[in-house]
Amino acid sequence: MSTPSVSLPGGTWTLGDLTVTRFGYGAMQLAGPGVMGPPADHDGALAVLREAAELGITHIDTAGAYGPRVTNRLIREALHPYPGTLRIVTKVGAVRDQQGGWPPARRPEDVRRAVHENLQDLGLETLDVVNLRLGDAQGPRPGSLAEPFEALVELRRQGLIRHLGVSNATAEQVAEAQAIAPIVCVQNMYNLAHRRDDELIDELAGQGIAYVPFFPLGGFTPLQSSALSAVASRLDATPMSVALAWLLRRSPNILLIPGTSSVAHLRENVTGAGLSLSDEDLAELDEIGR
Ligand SMILES: NC(=O)c1ccc[n+]([C@@H]2O[C@H](COP(=O)([O-])OP(=O)(O)OC[C@H]3O[C@@H](n4cnc5c(N)ncnc54)[C@H](OP(=O)(O)O)[C@@H]3O)[C@@H](O)[C@H]2O)c1
């Protein structure tokens, strides 16, 4: 592995005892259309993962449900044996159905099976971080997470998992998890235009827990806002760059996992996230999600 050619914006964060770059990579977009099946461009997908590692990114986000079992195997093919600094964060709690839906799979036996599949597909003996994915495609749903979370705690006790997190969770579920066992991260939907978790982010920052926004660029519906475009054009930057730079500025516990299936976009995003925003820019951007 050569020395990274650019320095990554945002510096580092520590998940429990694992240091990661705040600029990470979300691997979901590497599977086929609708996150089902193999990628149209297999070698292109491997190239994106290798470029992420070359750039010095040490945080890759994935899930067994991506493909299903496609993205994890691509990560293994591209990067195994893994650089010693690389941390792969995966999630369990949903599977895929014939229609491409994401039905929940949160019985203890589902969670155990998913952890073992992740270990096998990634070629690991221990998973760095496992998030329990809650709710559904519409967002978080209230309800106890105790049964599946306790199953993960048991797998951690057995040495199969290093750290735990929750995803697509309500603030109450975050608190419930923390009453059962320590967590190192919360992965929820959040971006410039979707700011339901503002309060939770600040609370977690106070506790030294990472907040990892999924859909940082809007996900399947790219972020669009005239205020965002105005700030971007004033700075001679792309809206994507501004959205990522804003997240890094929003709170020190925010870790970025923007997704892309393109090496060019990955490089663009790394450079773009380093954009410097003035107080005036921030004030304008803050209005978007209000
Ligand atoms: N916990 C959960 O329930 C959950 C749910 C969803 C996602 N996630 C995680 O969050 C990660 C990020 O989410 P995401 O990938 O769905 O959404 P995202 O990062 O908000 O956006 C990705 C989309 O933006 C495009 N894009 C990226 N960089 C671009 C650029 N510079 N210019 C133009 N277009 C660009 C990508 O297209 P190209 O491929 O063409 O670049 C892709 O369509 C995922 O990879 C996954 O790991 C978690």
Side-chain angles (χ1 to χ4, degrees), residues 112-273:
R112 282 193 287 274
R113 186 184 324 107
V115 164
H116 283 283
E117 282 178 2
N118 271 279
L119 286 165
Q120 189 187 337
D121 293 345
L122 289 167
L124 290 168
E125 288 180 2
T126 304
L127 298 170
D128 289 325
V129 182
V130 176
N131 284 314
L132 176 63
R133 199 244 193 203
L134 299 157
D136 56 29
Q138 273 64 54
R141 295 278 171 262
S144 174
L145 53 62
E147 200 181 33
F149 194 70
E150 280 163 3
L152 285 177
V153 172
E154 173 56 22
L155 293 165
R156 191 184 61 155
R157 202 191 54 73
Q158 292 169 16
L160 302 182
I161 299 173
R162 200 132 165 198
H163 296 295
L164 298 172
V166 291
S167 176
N168 210 22
T170 64
E172 292 71 26
Q173 288 163 334
V174 172
E176 188 190 9
Q178 290 183 293
I180 298 171
I183 59 168
V184 297
C185 55
V186 173
Q187 183 178 126
N188 276 2
M189 181 175 171
Y190 182 82
N191 57 44
L192 253 179
H194 184 97
R195 298 185 54 179
R196 188 170 46 196
D197 275 351
D198 270 328
E199 207 177 305
L200 179 63
I201 290 169
D202 296 336
E203 254 173 55
L204 294 171
Q207 299 177 39
I209 294 172
Y211 183 90
V212 188
F214 73 75
F215 294 162
L217 299 172
F220 296 104
T221 319
L223 280 174
Q224 277 185 324
S225 138
S226 50
L228 175 59
S229 301
V231 173
S233 90
R234 192 169 68 223
L235 295 171
D236 199 18
T238 64
M240 302 282 183
S241 306
V242 176
L244 293 174
W246 178 83
L247 281 170
L248 281 182
R249 272 289 291 275
R250 167 65 185 80
S251 186
N253 64 328
I254 288 189
L255 309 185
L256 301 185
I257 51 162
T260 181
S261 51
S262 142
V263 167
H265 286 170
L266 177 63
R267 290 184 187 145
E268 229 175 86
N269 293 344
V270 166
T271 310

